[in-house]
Amino acid sequence: FFFLMIRRPPRSTQSRSSAASDVYKRQEEEKREHILVMEALKELEDTRKCWRMVGGVLVERTVGEVKPSIQQNIEMIEKTLQTYNENMKKKEKEIIDFE
């Protein structure tokens, strides 16, 4: 005799909207952290050394080199959050129209 066991893939414990909400919250948190770093760097000279994690590697840079990339990251996160909000409004309207 032999037994064949067929396993179902595990069910997701979160609904899609809950998972999307978690991603949104993480993005907002990431934005806040970037803003805090920018505020800390604002008072420093551009020639001062600082370190940045790039792909899991700690890299030495200057404040002047890091500021533009942090600002760019903030802007990209803001665009992502704006797109998320726009898509959520569209989906909410679709749900209301469907009902």
Side-chain angles (χ1 to χ4, degrees):
F1 290 98
F2 69 92
F3 293 96
L4 177 61
M5 289 185 65
I6 300 174
R7 294 180 54 181
R8 290 184 181 174
R11 292 185 180 184
S12 175
T13 57
Q14 292 184 324
S15 69
R16 288 183 181 152
S17 63
S18 177
S21 177
D22 289 347
V23 170
Y24 184 84
K25 289 175 188 173
R26 281 195 303 269
Q27 287 291 310
E28 283 198 324
E29 187 175 309
E30 188 83 15
K31 178 184 166 188
R32 280 192 295 273
E33 289 176 7
H34 278 71
I35 290 170
L36 285 173
V37 170
M38 280 298 286
E39 288 174 2
L41 295 178
K42 184 173 33 176
E43 303 297 323
L44 301 177
E45 296 177 14
D46 285 348
T47 57
R48 187 169 175 163
K49 289 182 185 179
C50 66
W51 289 265
R52 182 169 186 219
M53 187 72 72
V54 178
V57 177
L58 198 57
V59 181
E60 183 178 323
R61 297 278 187 243
T62 64
V63 170
E65 293 171 326
V66 171
K67 280 182 185 178
S69 59
I70 293 174
Q71 185 61 44
Q72 183 181 14
N73 287 348
I74 292 170
E75 291 168 5
M76 287 185 346
I77 292 169
E78 286 174 342
K79 287 179 185 178
T80 301
L81 293 172
Q82 181 181 3
T83 301
Y84 174 86
N85 285 329
E86 290 169 0
N87 289 338
M88 286 301 292
K89 287 178 184 176
K90 287 178 189 175
K91 292 299 176 187
E92 287 172 359
K93 185 179 181 316
E94 287 176 15
I95 290 171
I96 290 169
D97 292 344
F98 182 73
E99 294 173 341

